[in-house]
Amino acid sequence: EVQLLESGGGLVQPGGSLRLSCAASGFTFSSYAMSWVRQVPGKGLEWVSGISGSGGNTYYADSVKGRFTISRDSSNNTLYLQMNSLRAEDTAVYYCAKDLRSGSLQGAFDYWGQGTLVTVSS
Amino acid sequence: AIRMTQSPSSFSASTGDRVIITCRASQGISSYLAWYQQKPGKAPKLLIYAASTLQSGVPSRFSGSGSGTDFTLSISCLQSEDFATYYCQQYYSYPWTFGQGTKVEIK
């Protein structure tokens, strides 16, 4: 059974940093691209960043480019999102999501974690 | 970025109704479109990908169609568990983008 479990969310001050983790199980982690998608409570979905199965290719939304870094560790089946220079508008639930098909990033997500809430506030 | 526009933003329907949600892309995206269902407090669930391919385990009352810029999600006979918010998403080009959502409420 595929499982994705996010952690690392919490309250952080503007300008601060946070690292999110997503522990994956139930599939060959290194074969699938992964993404982070966020959702302001009560609002819509926003794709944040994606990474290929090998980790060699990464992509970002303009809203986080230069501030967030996506990475993965296939030795422990974990996806990360390092978030720096956080702003109030980064407040959201952050989901990790698995690509539907193995290979390069493709963009349809068949499994999602339960989400972790990041609150940026003083 | 490609803008995805869904209509309507919300509507009320009754169990047994046939409902159609539309999604329009600001430029052509071929068939690189997915539909998701989200219930309050839960993660989105993939319903349809490649515009018209039903994800494994999704009931056949759900169907998708379209290509290029105009797409539809149809639910042939609305069930109680279908009351939720639905999102379209393009994965034709980065940044991947979602529609604003369509909330289906009980009439």
Side-chain angles (χ1 to χ4, degrees):
Chain A
E1 178 192 5
V2 172
Q3 290 192 334
L4 300 171
L5 185 62
E6 300 99 337
S7 61
L11 175 64
V12 61
Q13 292 188 338
S17 298
L18 212 56
R19 188 176 83 156
L20 305 182
S21 300
C22 171
S25 62
F27 64 102
T28 305
F29 182 67
S30 60
S31 294
Y32 289 85
M34 300 290 294
S35 283
W36 289 96
V37 177
R38 68 185 180 184
Q39 184 172 37
V40 175
K43 303 297 184 182
L45 299 164
E46 180 187 18
W47 175 79
V48 171
S49 182
I51 187 169
S52 61
S54 67
N57 295 297
T58 58
Y59 301 88
Y60 299 92
D62 287 346
S63 58
V64 306
K65 201 173 293 183
R67 300 188 299 122
F68 290 11
T69 302
I70 191 171
S71 62
R72 63 192 299 160
D73 183 343
S74 291
S75 68
N76 64 11
N77 291 350
T78 303
L79 175 72
Y80 301 100
L81 186 67
Q82 177 66 45
M83 304 186 295
N84 298 331
S85 303
L86 282 161
R87 307 166 179 167
E89 54 266 36
D90 295 319
T91 295
V93 173
Y94 285 73
Y95 295 100
C96 64
K98 170 188 166 292
D99 252 34
L100 173 65
R101 300 203 185 283
S102 62
S104 60
L105 280 96
Q106 295 176 51
F109 309 122
D110 60 345
Y111 286 93
W112 298 61
Q114 86 291 348
T116 187
L117 177 62
V118 172
T119 303
V120 184
S121 175
S122 54
Chain B
I2 297 175
R3 180 176 177 85
M4 307 300 292
T5 304
Q6 291 181 230
S7 60
S9 295
S10 66
F11 66 96
S12 299
S14 300
T15 303
D17 285 351
R18 177 181 178 85
V19 302
I20 296 175
I21 299 168
T22 65
C23 177
R24 175 164 289 177
S26 60
Q27 65 186 76
I29 60 170
S30 185
S31 295
Y32 292 93
L33 185 102
W35 288 97
Y36 300 88
Q37 175 194 69
Q38 187 179 33
K39 296 182 179 179
K42 300 294 187 182
K45 173 187 175 183
L46 178 65
L47 300 175
I48 302 280
Y49 61 94
S52 61
T53 303
L54 194 67
Q55 169 65 350
S56 175
V58 174
S60 58
R61 62 181 180 273
F62 291 92
S63 63
S65 65
S67 68
T69 60
D70 294 307
F71 303 86
T72 61
L73 173 69
S74 300
I75 310 173
S76 61
C77 183
L78 201 64
Q79 302 298 300
S80 57
E81 60 267 32
D82 300 336
F83 292 97
T85 300
Y86 295 85
Y87 294 93
C88 62
Q89 178 226 340
Q90 67 82 18
Y91 50 101
Y92 177 77
S93 70
Y94 299 106
W96 296 328
T97 46
F98 293 84
Q100 81 280 13
T102 296
K103 186 173 184 179
V104 180
E105 298 175 297
I106 301 173
K107 184 181 286 184

